[in-house]
Structures are given as C-alpha cells and as structure tokens.
Amino acid sequence: MSGFRDSASGSQPYKDPTPLPDSVPRVQELGVTSAPLKSAAFFIGAYCKEYNEDFMLCKNEGRGDPGQCLKEGRRVTRCATDLINKMRENCLEQFDAHWNCLELNNQEYYACRKPERTLNKCMFEKLGLTKTVPGTPVGKKQIHEVENPIYTTVQR
Amino acid sequence: MPVPWEALIPFGLLTSMFAAAGTLLNVSKRAQNQGKPVRYHIDSWDEMMMDRDRRLTGHLRGQSSNPVPPEGFETSSAWYTEATS
C-alpha cells in the first residue's frame, strides 16, 4: 500500500491534520484489537445484524461518498461496543481464553475449537446468542460443531 | 581396543552449531513477536488489522480487549493519505 507520510514530524505518531468537524456527532471508537474482535465476530454478526445490514446497504447505494453513511456507521460502532461490554461482563474468562488461543495459532479458528465451545456455551446461556456461519450448505453441520474435522492443527 | 572418539568431535560440533543457530533464530523470532509464534499467510486485511493493533497498543502483536481506545486513536490513522488508485 503506498502512502504519503510527511517526514517533518517523524518522531511523533501520525496525527490527522484534518479531523472531523464538530458538526459531526462523536462516537467512542472501539478500542478492541484484532484477536478479541475475531473471537467475537460471529456474535457481533448475530447481535448487530440490523445495524450492520443497514450500513452495508447504505454504502452500496452511496457510490463511494463516505459522508452519506456516517449515521449508520455510528450505530454500528455503538452496537459493537455494547456487545463487547456485555461479553466482558458475562463471559470474561472464556472470551479471554479463546482470543489468547487464537493469538498463539495465527488467528485461525480451526486451532481453537475447545475454548470456542466453552465460549459459545457461555454466550448462549448468558446472552442467548449463537454462532452461525452464513455460508454453510443446507443439511450440513456447522463447521465448528463437526466432531472429527478433516482440517486440524495436526497433519493426518 | 581404544575407540577413536576424537573422530566424533566434528559431528558433535556440527550438531551443536545447528542446534544453537536454530534455537537462536527461534528465540529471536519469538522475542520480536512478544513471545508468540510468528504470524504467517498475512494478507492486506491482516496487515491493516495489525497496523490498527499498533495504533491501539504500541506493538504490532499487542492485543487488548478493552473497548475504550487510548487517547489520539481517532486521529492516528494514516488511511486518508493512502493513494486511492
């Protein structure tokens, strides 16, 4: 990816010289890094389905103008923050175990099924959310529920 | 009959050199990645997420599940200066 970095202020981190104007309402950005987000991804999909779909449809018809979908974007951020807070309140140990396992395994889901099962169980009991993979063929089991998967960490 | 053990010294040297080099490389890689295994098969999405992790925690492999980002996170993205085409 090419980018222009102004070399005059190389010692400080990059600071955007043109931030959003004050007329745009502020939303607290989500400070969660990649591994916990990957762990919570399917639950965000289940919990925030309407807001996410709203945003994607708005972007689809927007034809590249970022200013049109700011409201839907704020809603998406707020919903995801809400879910992360709820997850941390209710299922903190299982959540931490799962994303730590992901970090040790190149962030691959297939390597961390055991912590994932405990996390799914906890999320279902406390918050009523299930993980469903949208593209699974009808009639086949969800890949995270298959007992003896073909692709594991150990080469067979 | 005396066994010519001096002839085995070069083999021992070779083995220990390989082991030392391998261990040193492994330790160096893990130290660069905060004690975790190296990430492989990284695509542009992963690079973008790791850059975001660096903005959030200071290190490419740093992770945190705190939903509140540090100060200055909202203006530290160099995305706007990237070329669009």
Side-chain angles (χ1 to χ4, degrees), chain A residues 5-64:
Chain A
R5 307 288 162 100
D6 187 6
S7 56
S9 61
S11 54
Q12 264 90 38
Y14 177 80
K15 189 160 168 25
D16 193 1
T18 54
L20 282 176
D22 286 328
S23 56
V24 175
R26 282 293 162 81
V27 68
Q28 174 76 275
E29 297 288 343
L30 193 54
V32 182
T33 51
S34 50
L37 268 184
K38 190 153 188 188
S39 173
F42 285 96
F43 299 114
I44 296 178
Y47 187 72
C48 303
K49 185 161 190 278
E50 303 93 37
Y51 305 111
N52 293 348
E53 282 178 356
D54 236 355
F55 180 69
M56 287 199 289
L57 289 170
C58 170
K59 275 286 195 191
N60 214 16
E61 63 191 46
R63 261 172 295 274

Side-chain angles (χ1 to χ4, degrees), chain B residues 5-85:
Chain B
W5 56 268
E6 289 92 345
L8 298 172
I9 293 178
F11 290 110
L13 276 174
L14 277 173
T15 314
S16 56
M17 297 289 184
F18 268 113
T23 310
L24 204 60
L25 189 66
N26 206 3
V27 166
S28 153
K29 287 257 170 231
R30 281 197 175 233
Q32 288 173 47
N33 284 278
Q34 293 187 339
K36 305 174 203 170
V38 173
R39 293 231 19 213
Y40 54 93
H41 288 161
I42 305 179
D43 52 11
S44 315
W45 172 267
D46 292 324
E47 275 174 21
M48 181 273 291
M49 289 304 276
M50 284 162 79
D51 186 59
R52 182 174 174 271
D53 293 348
R54 188 192 44 78
R55 281 163 50 213
L56 279 170
T57 58
H59 194 271
L60 276 183
R61 296 297 300 272
Q63 301 286 332
S64 109
S65 68
N66 184 7
V68 180
E71 283 294 317
F73 172 66
E74 300 179 10
T75 51
S76 63
S77 169
W79 182 79
Y80 301 103
T81 53
E82 308 258 322
T84 47
S85 58

Side-chain angles (χ1 to χ4, degrees), chain A residues 61-119:
Chain A
E61 63 191 46
R63 261 172 295 274
D65 178 18
Q68 280 195 356
C69 300
L70 290 177
K71 182 156 87 116
E72 285 82 3
R74 286 194 290 277
R75 285 202 200 123
V76 164
T77 315
R78 263 187 238 125
C79 180
T81 317
D82 186 29
L83 178 70
I84 296 284
N85 281 324
K86 285 202 174 125
M87 273 180 89
R88 274 160 59 94
E89 245 176 273
N90 289 310
C91 295
L92 187 61
E93 304 96 42
Q94 291 92 341
F95 186 36
D96 276 345
H98 188 226
W99 67 256
N100 279 315
C101 173
L102 280 179
E103 256 299 282
L104 294 173
N105 282 297
N106 197 34
Q107 291 197 7
E108 310 262 11
Y109 281 125
Y110 70 81
C112 293
R113 292 296 178 201
K114 263 194 12 197
E116 189 188 322
R117 284 198 191 106
T118 55
L119 178 63

